[in-house]
Amino acid sequence: MKKTITLSTEPHEAEIGPHRLFFQPEMYGDEFLDAYSQLQDVQKTFSGGDVESMSTDQLRTLYSQMRRFLSRLMTEESAAEFLRFVVRDAAGTVLSVHTELEKAEAEAARLDGAGVADESMRLPDRVLVELLEWVVEVYGGGNRPTGSSNVSAPASSRGGTGGKGRLPSRASTRAVGVSAP
């Protein structure tokens, strides 16, 4: 008896408006779980994980960690587009570019008169949450990692206007979210 198991070799792709982000084809379970665990630890630090009771600063930290988590799963090129911290001198000349804010700040502190500009990809919070949920499905094999997550956005609106026409068949379903080939 022979069992053949294939490994994904093509990156996963998320198309978000004009942006295309590519994620690593395969992720070792421990790498994924370590990254996911860090995100959950940050979330639990604030208000026991209750997003609605978080302060603005706490939410910024949480969303920053969500972005960091996502970038860890991306290909190097997509991560560099998604998280981009630019170190410039006083004249505005680019000295270096980083995907981690801490490294950019350390570089700027080392250079006299240098500063850091966040030129990361801007996406609405609901898109970050959808992307987060999608990568958990992709790398979690359709199953969420153990532990609950309260980092959920409300469902996207259905769009259009309500009417008095007949309802569609109950057998039809509506697809929502980011899709990958």
Side-chain angles (χ1 to χ4, degrees):
M1 177 176 219
K2 179 180 177 179
K3 172 78 173 167
T4 302
I5 299 174
T6 60
L7 291 174
S8 297
T9 57
E10 295 296 318
H12 302 285
E13 179 181 352
E15 188 173 317
I16 305 167
H19 308 288
R20 293 171 69 144
L21 296 173
F22 296 92
F23 291 79
Q24 298 173 37
E26 291 285 350
M27 195 75 181
Y28 293 105
D30 58 339
E31 291 173 346
F32 173 74
L33 290 175
D34 287 347
Y36 191 78
S37 162
Q38 282 182 330
L39 177 63
Q40 284 193 316
D41 288 346
V42 169
Q43 177 190 354
K44 288 175 187 171
T45 300
F46 304 122
S47 307
D50 182 13
V51 175
E52 283 137 19
S53 65
M54 290 183 186
S55 72
T56 304
D57 287 340
Q58 290 172 327
L59 280 172
R60 284 179 212 251
T61 300
L62 179 60
Y63 284 125
S64 172
Q65 289 301 315
M66 287 170 58
R67 294 177 66 78
R68 182 177 286 181
F69 167 75
L70 290 167
S71 74
R72 286 179 64 178
L73 306 176
M74 292 178 186
T75 61
E76 194 173 312
E77 297 81 15
S78 284
E81 179 183 352
F82 186 69
L83 284 181
R84 180 179 167 84
F85 301 100
V86 180
V87 178
R88 289 193 173 89
D89 64 13
T93 305
V94 173
L95 303 174
S96 60
V97 179
H98 305 269
T99 58
E100 295 179 35
L101 177 59
E102 295 80 7
K103 288 184 179 179
E105 288 174 337
E107 178 72 10
R110 195 176 68 71
L111 303 168
D112 191 35
V116 177
D118 183 351
E119 296 181 7
S120 300
M121 182 183 295
R122 296 289 177 224
L123 296 172
D125 294 344
R126 69 168 183 80
V127 173
L128 287 176
V129 171
E130 281 187 55
L131 194 55
L132 178 72
E133 291 172 348
W134 176 71
V135 298
V136 168
E137 286 180 33
V138 167
Y139 295 117
N143 299 315
R144 295 182 69 107
T146 57
S148 65
S149 172
N150 292 331
V151 184
S152 296
S156 299
S157 65
R158 296 184 74 186
T161 58
K164 296 184 180 186
R166 293 183 41 196
L167 294 173
S169 163
R170 291 181 188 235
S172 65
T173 57
R174 182 174 160 81
V176 177
V178 180
S179 61

